[in-house]
Amino acid sequence: MERTFKEKLSEKLMSFAGIIGKNIYLLSLRDAFMLSFPFTMFGSILLVVTNFPGFSEKAREGLGALMGHSIESSMLLMSIFVSIGIGYYLYLYKNPKRTQDAIYSGAVALVSFFIVTPFSVIIWTSCNIESYTCNTVDTGITNNNFNCLFCNKNWNNA
């Protein structure tokens, strides 16, 4: 009896899914996101409560002021837990016999996350010098001083 198209496709897809399901990088991503799942749920529930359709605009603003930082904080904490979890679980999948060292790998992943996370703000400024206008990017803010990259003028924003 000849197999149907559905059976042939199922066989090919199941073999591909088996290969994907055994990939340690994808498994570590899955486990890391499951580690941060409570933060995701907490932030999502607060977001739904804050923007509930039955509330007036004034009530939404009050709830937003009350719970806005909680929503942002839970999502930011989620990114920290995901970065720790990726390092931790990747080490566990690569070295299943040395589970006591996995937390160090998570710590290295967290420090790497903080190193590559940008903490500076880019501000577009415009300066006029003797009828010359340059639109520049300010690369740093120190003591409210802005330094134009192209005309090399220091602007004090006091």
Side-chain angles (χ1 to χ4, degrees), residues 84-146:
I84 293 171
I86 289 172
Y88 181 83
Y89 287 114
L90 186 60
Y91 186 87
L92 283 181
Y93 283 119
K94 285 188 171 261
N95 304 302
K97 294 182 180 174
R98 298 187 58 179
T99 59
Q100 70 274 11
D101 294 335
I103 192 66
Y104 300 120
S105 179
V108 168
L110 178 65
V111 170
S112 301
F113 172 73
F114 284 139
I115 288 172
V116 299
T117 302
F119 289 108
S120 63
V121 178
I122 297 175
I123 298 174
W124 288 91
T125 59
S126 178
C127 51
N128 293 320
I129 299 175
E130 300 170 346
S131 73
Y132 174 75
T133 302
C134 67
N135 294 318
T136 65
V137 177
D138 179 26
T139 58
I141 302 171
T142 55
N143 299 329
N144 293 330
N145 290 327
F146 298 101

Side-chain angles (χ1 to χ4, degrees), residues 8 14 16 53 56 77 96 103 107 114 123 126 136 156:
K8 290 178 185 178
M14 288 304 289
F16 180 69
S56 66
L77 283 173
I103 192 66
F114 284 139
I123 298 174
S126 178
T136 65
N156 188 0

Side-chain angles (χ1 to χ4, degrees), residues 2 16 24 31 36 40 49 51 56-57 61 66-67 71 80 87 106 108 124-125 128 136 138 147:
E2 189 174 321
F16 180 69
I24 62 171
D31 293 340
S36 68
T40 306
V49 168
N51 296 316
S56 66
E57 190 63 36
E61 288 177 7
L66 182 66
M67 294 189 236
I71 297 167
I80 291 172
V108 168
W124 288 91
T125 59
N128 293 320
T136 65
D138 179 26
N147 195 14

Side-chain angles (χ1 to χ4, degrees), residues 129 147-154:
I129 299 175
N147 195 14
C148 178
L149 290 176
F150 297 110
C151 64
N152 293 325
K153 182 167 182 178
N154 189 359

Side-chain angles (χ1 to χ4, degrees), residues 9-23 26:
L9 183 64
S10 176
E11 180 184 330
K12 296 289 184 187
L13 287 179
M14 288 304 289
S15 64
F16 180 69
I19 292 170
I20 296 285
K22 293 176 186 172
N23 189 334
L26 294 177

